[in-house]
Amino acid sequence: MEKQELVAFKEIDMEPFNDAMALISGKWKMNILFCLSECGTMRYGEIKNVLGNITHRVLSNKLKELEDNGLISRHEYPQIPPKVEYSLTKKGSSLLPILKMVCDWGKENCSDYNN
């Protein structure tokens, strides 16, 4: 790369990208979002069953982080036993095209993908 190209490269505003990645990065957040995008509203146990080997602590933390970031909503019903449902918010739903593109890319480019 020439010096002029390096100067232009340094001027790229990385802040929006970094902010977006902070909301969705990590081992489980995208999995949870994809799960909710495919299944719709889900209860905690359903999410846990779909994701498999995620621990209760990690799932609880990631759901809380996604809720705090406005990507999912949590609806608690006042009953015994407690019933809590999670769903994508409008902000979370705006990620659906990106999630679909990642899924499509994985189908096309990951050699271990099984149909």
Side-chain angles (χ1 to χ4, degrees):
M1 219 182 263
E2 292 181 20
K3 187 174 182 178
Q4 184 179 8
E5 292 174 4
L6 286 173
V7 170
F9 185 73
K10 287 181 180 180
E11 293 175 3
I12 293 174
D13 182 10
M14 293 296 292
E15 191 170 337
F17 179 80
N18 292 336
D19 291 345
M21 290 305 296
L23 294 180
I24 60 174
S25 64
K27 182 174 179 180
W28 293 105
K29 286 183 182 178
M30 290 290 281
N31 298 57
I32 293 167
L33 293 170
F34 184 73
C35 184
L36 291 171
S37 76
E38 292 293 301
C39 299
T41 300
M42 298 178 74
R43 294 179 68 177
Y44 178 93
E46 294 171 328
I47 298 169
K48 173 86 170 82
N49 288 338
V50 170
L51 295 179
N53 63 352
I54 188 171
T55 66
H56 287 289
R57 180 176 176 225
V58 170
L59 179 56
S60 293
N61 288 342
K62 297 308 169 190
L63 287 169
K64 180 70 174 140
E65 289 173 21
L66 289 167
E67 182 185 10
D68 289 345
N69 291 328
L71 298 175
I72 65 171
S73 64
R74 179 182 187 273
H75 184 79
E76 187 172 348
Y77 296 90
Q79 66 184 49
I80 297 175
K83 178 180 176 183
V84 178
E85 293 181 333
Y86 296 90
S87 58
L88 292 175
T89 61
K90 185 176 181 180
K91 183 177 177 180
S93 294
S94 69
L95 285 167
L96 293 181
I98 296 166
L99 296 174
K100 181 175 179 355
M101 285 191 288
V102 170
C103 185
D104 292 344
W105 185 89
K107 287 177 184 177
E108 292 176 18
N109 295 286
C110 295
S111 59
D112 60 342
Y113 177 77
N114 295 315
N115 291 325

